[in-house]
Amino acid sequence: MYLSQDEERMLQGEFGEVVQRMFRLLVRLGDIYGADKMIPVGSVQVAGVSYKSIGEPGTLYLEDVASKGAKTQVITFLNPAGMDLENWKALGFPKNFAKNQLRIIDAFKQMGIIITTTCTPYLAGNLPRFREHIAWSESSAVSFSNSVIGARTNREGGPSALAASLCGRTPRYGFHVWENRQPAFHIHVESNLTYNADFGALGYHVGKIVKDKIPYFTGITNADTDQLKALGAAMAASGAVALYHVEGLTPEADLVKNEGLEKITVTKKNLDDTFDKLNEGTTPDIVILGCPHASLREIAVLAGKIKGKHLRKPIWICTSRMMKEAADRMGFSQTIEAAGGHVVADTCMVVSPIEDMGYKQIGVDSGKAANYLPGFCKQKVNFANIDRLLEKVL
Ligand code: F3S
């Protein structure tokens, strides 16, 4: 792989031991995947933030990197943590977990990483442009930035994203290269899609079929950005889809080659079967929305639906701190609290230690959360649209 003079100096250790170690990792990755050179990145998003995911070894590693003075070279946002960083006590997060989670946050902060703790950085102040090279790691954020924005990122692991942040570069391979952004499947959708959950069901179904290949959708006549983030998140979870195109909606759909692809039709029955398959129980202990992290519009919709009502079971809606601030200002959070729910920032149902907080069955409207909750969090799942979920708890 070609390296510039500065990059050779990084490799020789002239910028310190941490940068040398991190850059070596990037070079190794580039060699494995056949990169021709390094490219500068416009921004980074680092996953591997929850103490539940990285445990003590990961925490010690981050503390070690931070203690050696390593600093970010480009704007870097953080994925959700394992708890609401401000309101964890009131929400019942375990004290010992909180202590360790805050060690991780401190380490990232020392490196200059912005403590945004969200999987929707594009809603919270880190919006890449079309064709910008970035190095993001959370799978739904990767899917959204590649597909809906048309930025270019591979699905980075926590360590490679951190390395990209501290070196300001990533190896040029995979989705950074135009030839690798071409679709492999034509997915024709014959069902109406109304709720965000319908897009989650579609994504779950298609991800299982296409696995890590790129789908090109037709038949989706309209979708807002919340629905596209639900679609991408579910496909990234049930398969490993990091990029998709939707005819007439996503920016590269008109540019890629879409002839001669294997065609698969998705019917209403396929989606109904997906909902059935992901419904394990009858009454949830709690409903948790906001996977991926809710937009202000999604919080407003929930507030509108439960205004003046009384919930028999709690509802959380997970979001970024920035969206919560705006929701507080607009009175949406207060409406949700008055009904017995919570707007929870910085975390989500999957990366928080929800299984240690007395919950056994969770209602979700996210195909991604429905995919992960049984395995990661030992939860039974009710996967349904927001109105069906509310019927169970109002
Ligand atoms: Fe985000 Fe957590 Fe879902 S990180 S995409 S809300 S599993």
Side-chain angles (χ1 to χ4, degrees), residues 51 82-84 87-103 353 356-357:
Y51 188 74
M83 63 183 196
D84 187 311
N87 205 20
W88 59 268
K89 252 189 224 150
L91 290 164
F93 285 90
K95 202 169 167 193
N96 204 38
F97 181 89
K99 199 176 103 218
N100 288 321
Q101 182 62 70
L102 292 173
R103 286 169 55 205
D356 299 331
M357 296 169 72

Side-chain angles (χ1 to χ4, degrees), residues 340-354:
H342 297 289
V343 179
V344 176
D346 306 315
T347 188
C348 77
M349 61 292 259
V350 172
V351 299
S352 64
I354 199 83

